[in-house]
Amino acid sequence: MSSTAQAARMSAPPGPRPFLPLAVFLAMRRDPLSYMEQMHRQYGDLVSYFPPGRQVFMLFHPDMTQDMLVTRARNHHQGRVMQRSRSVLGNGLLTSEESFHLRQRRLIQPAFHRQRVFGYGRAMLDYTERHQQRWKHGEVLDIHQEMMRLTLRIVGKTLFDTDVEGDSQAIGRALNTFMHLFKFAVLPLSEYMEKLPIPPVLRMKKARAIMDRVIYGFIEERRRSGQDRGDLLSMLLAAEDTDAGSASTRMDNDQVRDECVTLILAGHETTANALTWTLYLLAQHPEISQRLKGELDNVLGDRPPEPEDYPNLKYAEMVFSEAMRLYPPAWGIARTVVEPYEAFGVHFPKNAIVLTSQWITHRDPRWHPDPLRFDPQRWMPEARASRPKFSYFPFGAGARQCIGESFAWIEGVLLLATIARKWKFSVVPETRVELLPLITLRPKFGMKLRIQRH
Ligand code: HEM
């Protein structure tokens, strides 16, 4: 070990120092949620360790999360997983950096203004109504699969004005492959392995080819028709960077492809997981499910929800918020230090990884007493105001805060209302629940629940 590395170890915050540095890397890779919990319990809010090649800092206090994501956003680039995802996502919003990222965000933002997202509400509701027409009283469904298909179709319709039903299986399978290759992407040297014709690389290439065929198809069809359909795709194709002021700042097909793949992936998997965990929690808490039904009956009578009902569905929003506290679809956020800095009495050197975790903070009893209890009352305005802002950050914060946050709230609440108005859920012997923390927090064996009409 070099003398600088040794000095870094000695002055670093506490953390595991196993004889073989690879041991911490493997422990984190095997079961990141339990490993972070153990680190937090054992060492406190600021933990450091040294897997091969670099230093990692875990930041578990809301003030530290704020510092990392907001105050020092400029000192960081994306973490290793996101950087490695470039082979799939290209240079879209999730993976691009600095001025290019800012420019793309500015161009894409108008598609996500709240008013515009309300306009997507109609499609969200129509698709959900149609989707659940296939459901039968008393059957056991894999709710995770149902939610994935539904949210994928909603993203396809709202952002690309296309019904992806025909392509949804192919897209779904390709996205699934990406997600499962996440563990490969974080391996040391994976950037070199990616050049070899080994099975995970071949699977990744095949998945990418399938996605590309579908997305380039959308783009070419739209360029040919020249039609402005008022959706995200038309906006991306028309967008020009007025600051730079030259025609060359239009996005080419490859850039539009990268943004589209990013939005499809980021825009359906997360919401599908959030809804799946919400319905699972409701299945376990009939009294909360009943109270939600009470609100829906009050607000809606016997008609289906309309987008305009959203602001009145307060309890539905509290239920959705609480489900994302217990099962945050994004369970951690990582960054790489590009500009070294001092904070909290610690030196954060260049190339170190900093990590904050919704999983840990959302379940920390200092901010959320009796943290494992599913209790939507925590989201009453007074209770909410009494907690530190960064004790809950399902959508991240700062320059990279989720661009689809309003979309997700409106979609989550409207879908929940449409579904919970008609159906109640219960766990059955086949319900086997285990967490699968890939890039998002998935249920490992899907989510088998019995559905019954109210
Ligand atoms: C419950 C649903 C969702 C959750 C929990 C969620 C969570 C997040 C989080 C935590 C980030 C920040 C990642 C980071 O800091 O590195 C993020 C970024 C992002 N999200 Fe979401 N998201 C959701 C829904 C959506 C939807 C519906 C869309 C689009 C339709 C979307 C598009 C994006 C994009 C493009 C980014 C990258 C933003 C950037 O780096 O500038 N998300 N999301």
Side-chain angles (χ1 to χ4, degrees):
M1 192 189 305
S2 75
S3 57
T4 355
Q6 222 154 16
R9 259 173 189 258
M10 282 162 60
S11 60
R17 304 282 183 266
F19 178 64
L20 289 175
L22 197 61
V24 267
F25 172 78
L26 292 176
M28 185 67 182
R29 193 175 127 80
R30 197 167 39 243
D31 186 354
L33 305 179
S34 307
Y35 192 65
M36 288 189 304
E37 281 171 358
Q38 189 197 326
M39 293 296 98
H40 189 213
R41 252 193 327 269
Q42 206 168 336
Y43 301 108
D45 284 334
L46 178 47
V47 182
S48 78
Y49 63 92
F50 296 80
R54 52 179 93 188
Q55 185 170 8
V56 176
F57 295 90
M58 289 174 166
L59 309 174
F60 295 133
H61 191 283
D63 293 348
M64 296 175 180
T65 304
Q66 177 168 20
D67 189 75
M68 166 185 162
L69 297 181
V70 184
T71 318
R72 277 177 228 280
R74 282 165 180 274
N75 292 70
H76 299 131
H77 277 179
Q78 277 290 24
R80 188 173 155 77
V81 172
M82 279 304 154
Q83 287 180 359
R84 305 290 312 117
S85 304
R86 273 168 188 263
S87 54
V88 171
L89 300 176
N91 201 26
L93 267 191
L94 270 170
T95 44
S96 55
E97 301 285 1
E98 300 195 356
S99 55
F100 186 77
H101 170 253
L102 275 178
R103 181 192 102 145
Q104 291 301 103
R105 233 184 124 103
R106 203 172 52 234
L107 292 178
I108 295 170
Q109 199 96 54
F112 290 98
H113 279 160
R114 214 176 151 76
Q115 244 0 72
R116 199 173 176 111
V117 173
F118 260 113
Y120 303 145
R122 185 72 273 147
M124 293 172 179
L125 291 168
D126 289 348
Y127 272 78
T128 313
E129 277 297 345
R130 260 190 279 158
H131 190 91
Q132 60 182 5
Q133 273 167 16
R134 291 195 292 249
W135 294 357
K136 294 189 195 65
H137 175 76
E139 69 178 331
V140 174
L141 281 178
D142 182 344
I143 287 295
H144 183 238
Q145 237 175 49
E146 295 292 312
M147 293 301 113
M148 291 284 270
R149 279 182 59 191
L150 176 57
T151 57
L152 179 59
R153 288 187 77 186
I154 289 174
V155 162
K157 181 67 190 166
T158 52
L159 302 185
F160 308 103
D161 194 19
T162 309
D163 192 336
V164 296
E165 177 65 349
D167 295 311
S168 75
Q169 284 205 345
I171 298 179
R173 268 202 303 272
L175 293 177
N176 220 6
T177 309
F178 297 158
M179 282 289 169
H180 281 277
L181 289 175
F182 146 83
K183 287 202 165 181
F184 167 77
V186 292
L187 286 177
L189 305 180
S190 64
E191 49 272 59
Y192 302 104
M193 288 198 272
E194 233 178 67
K195 301 197 168 72
L196 303 173
I198 51 178
V201 175
L202 296 176
R203 276 202 299 278
M204 176 108 78
K205 286 197 168 146
K206 189 166 164 211
R208 185 177 167 136
I210 293 170
M211 281 297 285
D212 283 359
R213 179 178 54 76
V214 177
I215 305 281
Y216 281 117
F218 291 167
I219 299 173
E220 268 147 34
E221 189 266 320
R222 191 67 63 88
R223 285 222 198 264
R224 237 189 341 263
S225 76
Q227 213 184 359
D228 179 355
R229 298 214 208 131
D231 60 359
L232 175 93
L233 183 54
S234 292
M235 276 178 46
L236 290 178
L237 293 175
E240 275 187 54
D241 191 352
T242 45
D243 283 358
S246 88
S248 66
T249 57
R250 271 184 180 233
M251 278 178 246
D252 62 15
N253 277 8
D254 294 341
Q255 186 60 39
V256 175
R257 174 264 174 217
D258 291 351
E259 300 300 357
C260 290
V261 175
T262 300
L263 287 164
I264 293 181
L265 187 73
H268 94 287
E269 160 98 23
T270 39
T271 326
N273 287 338
L275 282 162
T276 303
W277 293 117
T278 306
L279 297 179
Y280 167 61
L281 287 163
L282 287 175
Q284 289 180 311
H285 294 87
E287 69 297 350
I288 294 177
S289 179
Q290 208 44 50
R291 181 151 179 202
L292 173 61
K293 175 77 166 77
E295 172 179 272
L296 299 174
D297 290 346
N298 262 341
V299 174
L300 306 171
D302 53 10
R303 65 172 173 82
E306 299 289 331
E308 296 69 36
D309 293 314
Y310 172 72
N312 299 323
L313 299 170
K314 293 280 177 241
Y315 194 66
E317 192 177 71
M318 285 160 68
V319 167
F320 192 58
S321 308
E322 177 68 349
M324 285 198 290
R325 181 185 70 78
L326 276 171
Y327 294 99
W331 54 271
I333 299 180
R335 299 280 190 262
T336 307
V337 175
V338 287
E339 279 292 328
Y341 59 93
E342 313 280 329
F344 309 105
V346 170
H347 176 69
F348 292 80
K350 190 173 162 73
N351 288 331
I353 299 284
V354 283
L355 183 74
T356 183
S357 168
Q358 291 92 335
W359 177 262
I360 298 295
T361 308
H362 290 189
R363 290 171 170 240
D364 188 327
R366 290 175 293 178
W367 331 119
H368 307 282
D370 195 2
L372 301 187
R373 195 157 57 90
F374 177 53
D375 178 11
Q377 294 305 114
R378 297 178 203 269
W379 299 96
M380 293 296 284
E382 324 74 67
R384 232 183 142 121
S386 69
R387 294 190 290 263
K389 183 153 181 255
F390 284 80
S391 57
Y392 183 72
F393 57 107
F395 296 96
R400 306 206 81 111
Q401 174 160 355
C402 178
I403 202 168
E405 177 167 353
S406 303
F407 190 112
W409 280 114
I410 292 174
E411 183 180 23
V413 170
L414 290 182
L415 267 59
L416 180 59
T418 311
I419 294 170
R421 187 175 84 86
K422 285 196 176 154
W423 304 95
K424 55 186 178 189
F425 297 82
S426 49
V427 290
V428 284
E430 302 97 290
T431 317
R432 189 174 165 206
V433 179
E434 222 176 278
L435 297 163
L436 181 64
L438 298 176
I439 296 177
T440 62
L441 190 61
R442 282 184 170 196
K444 187 168 183 176
F445 305 108
M447 183 60 71
K448 305 248 172 48
L449 296 178
R450 185 174 313 285
I451 60 166
Q452 282 168 306
R453 279 192 174 275
H454 274 296

